[in-house]
Amino acid sequence: MTVREQICSRLAWLLVVLAWGNGGQASEELQACGSAMRVAPAKEAAETPRRYAPERRVDVTRVTIDVTPDFASRTIQGVTTIAFTPLVKPLIELKLDAFDLNIASVESKAHLAGYTVADKAITITFSPPVLPGDPTTVTIRYDAEPQRGLYFRTPQMGYPESDVHLFTQGESHEAPYWYPSFDYPNERFSSEVICHVPPDMTVLSNGRLVSEQTDAATGLKVVHWLQEKPHVNYLVALVAGRFAKVESRYRNIPLAFYTPVSQIEYAANSFEGTADMIEFFEQELGVPYPWEKYDQVVVADFVAGGMENTSLTVLSDGTLFTKDTENLRSSEGVVSHELVHQWVGDYVTCKDWSHLWLNEGFATYYQRLYDGHRNGQDEMLYDLYNTARWITAQSDGRPIVNRRYKEADEQFGWRTYSKAGWVIRMLRCQLGDALFRRVIQAYLERHALGVAVTEDLRSVIEELSGRSFDCFFDQWLYNGGCPQLDVSYSWSEQDKLAKISVKQTQTADAGPFVLPTKVRFRLGEQTVDRDILIDSAQHDFYFALHTEPNIVRFDPELTLLAQVTFDVPTKMLYAQLDDRADMVGRLLAADALKEKKDKKTVGKLKDALNNDPFYGVRRAAAAALQEIHTDEAFEALVKSMDQPDARVRRSVVELIGGVYRPEVIAHMESVLANEKNPEIVITAIQNLGRFHCPQTKQIISKYLQSTSYRNELADAAVGAIRTLNDPACIPELMQTLRGREQQFQSWDFARGLGTLARIACDQEDRTQVREFIAGYVSHPRQVIRRGAIGALGTLGDPKAIPIVETFCGSEPHDPIQRSAKQAMDRLQEKKPLVPDEVIELRKVVDELKKETDKLRKELDDLKKQNEARAAASKTDEKAKDSEEPM
Ligand SMILES: [Zn+2]
């Protein structure tokens, strides 16, 4: 799964697209802060229970789900049959997960004593007990109005009639909202999905299509899918509705890409790489694509970025894009991520959520590997470089394999995606490409159509490599944190010796890391590599070289996930910035040169911005110029606006907009007048929000009224208004949101409500805004409901408390209740009786008083000492007087 939880800004959306490159979570990208340390888990974490896979008392062999959805009432009728065999003990009770299902009847081939239904489970009792090894079935009839797990998208909710559909989402524990089941990934079974829909609708599910016929009695189309090879419960999926498709084949595997009918023109952009990806993953993993077909389907307002149901991936409609965004939008990351899950996640599944990295870390790693294959190794290194900087800045010291969590959903984060992906990279670096491939193939074959835990992987690695990986797994998977390395270099001309000192500075509760890597010296055209092993807190390494190197690189191949501080002389940075063979070295040099202010450095960076062969270095040079902040550096940026690569062009526009100079307005106006790429126009509009003047407000207002693909330019104007934070914009923003609700994407509209609340929160009379936002708290779209409830919290009007209160409840992981709780906390926040400034002033006075007391005491002491000396000298004089020689 790629996660898209709690993201409601365009910036965050772009970050999530980037994060697909990093396999990470945009919501966390936004919160990147703190320092990297190997920290002990927080006290709360220690109090969190340890989680394990539940006991399997029966072996579930097949689940058959027969569903008839009613799109108008957003309800379903279902009949689910579960075939199973008790494993060891005679079975008296079978307990199944069933969330808010209205159970009508239960039947069984065995003799039923009865059944009881609770909100979250159904317990079926047998008398006599079913004996171990005796296969039997239970059939449960029910209806439901699912709040999660199965999501409707209908005209009553504001979606186009032409696009009406529903989709399901199983991971982590949502499946029981639409059918009763043993809902945990340590159980595998075959599944069948039968769905009854109006004749013009398409039905998609896992596996192969068995039949499609019309039921004469109801006039409904009955579509029957069968997933024969066993898979786990969270991968069972159903998508039904009005869809259009594009299709092709990879060898004998049918491939299709479905979108809601109104969006089919964009399908090809996202679909085109699929066959190439399957071929690549088959070669890399050594295992043929394991299922009968591969369908991808785009749905409206999906709950995540994508979800890898067995042979049926569901994707967010945010993955669709138009070609005029050049290379700024791509769905390649999310498409390859979900595709590789068909092996890592679906074919072999983590046994419990503490081993989630076996799914998500691998999907993140192979997504990146495909990126390198498709777009060049520098592309992959660039991603690793950026991800490492971000991961090592996180302060969460929990390990990747973590049993302490309250809910499974908490496991889906940067540790199991980005960090685990990087750890797999290190594993590959240590094993070498060929052995790594053999290990992964053996691991997948050994656990094919089964479940795995971390130790299963380690034992395969050790068996095939003949080496111990205890230390590697211990430091990277069973413990948290990342190394922080202070590296320094010096040269002795007399001894012809280079010295590299490495100090591990992370606070270590589990001892220093063991880190094999290398250092690289460039001696003119010659390259000298030396392997080093860092296995203690401090090391000095000496290297005899025939001449002084012009470049020194630590870990030149980016094989360590570490925060490295390495100060080298400026002349070396210049040489590094020019080294065409070393993209990462050039990135590091551009970043380090931002500390210099001189004209020579500005010239070097400007040259890199306009001439470096890799776009990432050009962007890094632009960022450095902005940080230098001199007139020359700003001028260099402005003169470099005309960039052929849209990625660099947008960076330059963004960076210029981030400088507060009056002339920036004219530069942004010129971008708006000339730029064709909508993503860069969006950047320029948002930048204008930093400048309070009638001219910018007029432009922002113009774009607020504009129409564009997905209303993106109007949304950018909302973003600018948020930055402006000017209450004068309230009436126009309110009018736009009211009049154009249907044109905004749900997330963007929700953010619009938040923006309105934010710019109105300091107003004395917030009645009108409160009433306007309150009009959306019962909206049929969950995203907008949540946005409205959150906005009431932001507005901070205590009169909203009774409204928000009605959404609070005891279910901490219900998204609406969670938003309501956060909003209530904000609404009930007490303003301190004494303002912060006064508290601060009091602290200063207290400090001063302490200082004064100290000084007074010192003065007293001095006085006493002087008095004592004076007294002593008098006595001495007297003594002297008396000691005069006779
Ligand atoms: Zn995933």
Side-chain angles (χ1 to χ4, degrees), residues 108 302 464 520 590 652 654 703 781 793:
S108 175
F302 189 44
L464 269 68
R520 176 168 294 166
V652 173
E654 200 168 2
Y703 282 102
R781 296 191 194 189

Side-chain angles (χ1 to χ4, degrees), residues 557-577:
E557 285 159 10
L558 212 55
T559 62
L560 294 183
L561 176 60
Q563 195 179 63
V564 180
T565 313
F566 186 22
D567 284 330
V568 292
T570 307
K571 68 169 184 178
M572 274 199 179
L573 290 177
Y574 288 161
Q576 205 170 303
L577 190 64

Side-chain angles (χ1 to χ4, degrees), residues 130-320:
V130 187
L131 296 177
D134 272 5
T136 191
T137 62
V138 289
T139 297
I140 301 162
R141 287 171 192 281
Y142 56 95
D143 62 71
E145 187 181 346
Q147 298 304 306
R148 299 170 72 183
L150 187 148
Y151 299 83
F152 285 95
R153 298 295 180 246
T154 68
Q156 293 79 11
M157 302 170 79
Y159 297 96
E161 177 79 49
S162 63
D163 291 359
V164 63
H165 61 274
L166 68 81
F167 61 85
T168 63
Q169 168 64 21
E171 198 176 26
S172 311
H173 292 290
E174 294 197 21
Y177 284 96
W178 70 284
Y179 65 91
S181 49
F182 177 89
D183 191 37
Y184 209 83
N186 62 340
E187 176 66 85
R188 292 183 87 96
F189 50 84
S190 304
S191 69
E192 280 177 275
V193 172
I194 301 151
C195 185
H196 307 247
V197 291
D200 65 333
M201 286 194 180
T202 302
V203 174
L204 302 171
S205 185
N206 318 96
R208 115 184 121 77
L209 184 65
V210 177
S211 64
E212 197 173 290
Q213 49 202 329
T214 308
D215 178 350
T218 60
L220 293 175
K221 181 158 84 175
V222 185
V223 186
H224 184 170
W225 287 89
L226 169 63
Q227 170 63 43
E228 189 77 64
K229 290 180 191 169
H231 63 157
V232 304
N233 202 50
Y234 75 76
L235 295 170
V236 173
L238 165 67
V239 180
R242 299 204 177 99
F243 290 98
K245 69 170 168 176
V246 289
E247 55 191 331
S248 73
R249 294 184 88 78
Y250 169 72
R251 300 212 174 108
N252 61 345
I253 302 161
L255 311 177
F257 194 100
Y258 294 80
T259 70
V261 174
S262 68
Q263 302 192 57
I264 191 64
E265 66 179 296
Y266 310 111
N269 297 343
S270 298
F271 181 51
E272 62 189 7
T274 308
D276 184 54
M277 289 174 195
I278 298 183
E279 186 177 14
F280 176 76
F281 291 139
E282 282 192 340
Q283 282 169 7
E284 269 297 327
L285 298 163
V287 174
Y289 178 77
W291 316 109
E292 288 160 299
K293 59 110 166 78
Y294 188 56
D295 285 337
Q296 297 170 82
V297 55
V298 165
V299 300
D301 288 330
F302 189 44
V303 296
M307 177 64 212
E308 68 276 16
N309 310 295
T310 311
S311 78
L312 172 59
T313 282
V314 179
L315 296 168
S316 153
D317 52 358
T319 56
L320 300 177

